Amino acid sequence: MSEHLTTDRQPEGGAAVRRRRLLVAGGAVAAVGVGGFLGREALEDAWWRYGAPAVPRDEGEVDHEGAEWVPASSANYRRASRPRDYTVDRVVIHMPEATYDITLRVFQDSSHGAAAHYVVRSGDGHVAQMVRELDVAYQAGNREFNERSVGIEHEGWADDPSYLTDTMYESSARLVAGICARYGIPVDRQHIVGHNEVPDVVRICPGPHWDWDRYMAMVRSAAGVS
């Protein structure tokens, strides 16, 4: 298992987040008095828990045409209404250090504490959607990036290039092109990043064999941009 799949149940900031949750648990009013940032987060939590109108959802609905809905445990993501509540302007590319089937099982485990929005299978490029793009998946190890990004896992191991098939690259490129089109995300390396490039996160995925030049050319072609 990779560092990603062995993440504990504090995927968005560790001790600092635990402290924030304790403060919020004491009530929104108490948190507001601590300062602007804590106050804003407490109000957001209260708003979405008690007062925000839910975005209509259909059971099994997917955001990417042709994807299979395989829901992650609700403990591994946070319900939201993106991009209404959080701007979506990044795509994060992952490799789980595991097979496709094991990755799905891990993200369905409520004790794991993390999941990506999508998982792409190596052999045939099949796409499973595990978290709606509306929602904040605990996939980047960085709260801000979780809120602003869509995360995609690609079956395989960072040190084994045999999993990086043409079919998987092509399927992933179509998936990312669609995400970029939905949210107006520029098709470039500033906005389509590896997990290892997320600030304040130590990761190797998608690894040294991931061919960024080839992949970005595929994404640009699928998106119809030069």
Side-chain angles (χ1 to χ4, degrees):
M1 289 289 170
S2 71
E3 295 164 305
H4 177 63
L5 289 187
T6 55
T7 302
D8 64 21
R9 293 184 63 84
Q10 285 80 43
E12 297 186 275
V17 170
R18 291 196 298 274
R19 178 176 177 273
R20 182 189 66 80
R21 287 175 179 163
L22 287 171
L23 287 167
V24 172
V29 173
V32 167
V34 175
F37 182 71
L38 283 176
R40 179 181 65 82
E41 288 202 340
L43 289 172
E44 284 177 355
D45 288 347
W47 171 252
W48 293 111
R49 187 176 302 142
Y50 302 117
V55 172
R57 300 163 189 250
D58 294 324
E59 183 65 28
E61 184 179 10
V62 296
D63 298 297
H64 177 66
E65 184 177 358
E68 176 187 8
W69 177 244
V70 184
S73 168
S74 60
N76 297 334
Y77 67 90
R78 172 158 45 93
R79 194 175 175 93
S81 295
R82 302 189 309 170
R84 186 178 69 182
D85 47 354
Y86 301 108
T87 297
V88 178
D89 62 3
R90 295 289 190 278
V91 177
V92 180
I93 302 299
H94 299 269
M95 184 165 287
E97 305 283 308
T99 64
Y100 173 86
D101 291 337
I102 288 176
T103 303
L104 299 188
R105 291 206 302 270
V106 169
F107 289 165
Q108 291 179 317
D109 180 353
S110 62
S111 69
H112 179 55
H117 294 90
Y118 295 98
V119 182
V120 185
R121 192 159 59 200
S122 172
D124 59 2
H126 181 70
V127 177
Q129 181 165 4
M130 304 198 73
V131 179
R132 288 291 308 277
E133 291 175 12
L134 287 165
D135 296 326
V136 176
Y138 301 150
Q139 46 90 19
N142 176 300
R143 182 186 177 100
E144 181 185 2
F145 257 75
N146 284 344
E147 291 171 348
R148 74 190 304 176
S149 68
V150 174
I152 305 171
E153 290 280 1
H154 299 79
E155 179 182 21
W157 282 260
D159 63 355
D160 186 353
S162 68
Y163 279 86
L164 300 176
T165 63
D166 293 343
T167 303
M168 184 168 73
Y169 271 132
E170 290 164 0
S171 176
S172 178
R174 290 191 297 271
L175 171 59
V176 172
I179 294 168
C180 290
R182 278 191 286 282
Y183 302 105
I185 302 172
V187 182
D188 59 35
R189 286 284 285 116
Q190 286 70 50
H191 296 84
I192 302 169
V193 301
H195 193 190
N196 61 308
E197 298 171 305
V198 173
D200 304 319
V201 172
V202 179
R203 294 291 187 269
I204 60 170
C205 70
H209 299 292
W210 186 268
D211 190 337
W212 279 107
D213 290 341
R214 178 186 179 202
Y215 182 66
M216 292 302 300
M218 289 180 170
V219 178
R220 287 192 292 272
S221 176
V225 299
S226 57

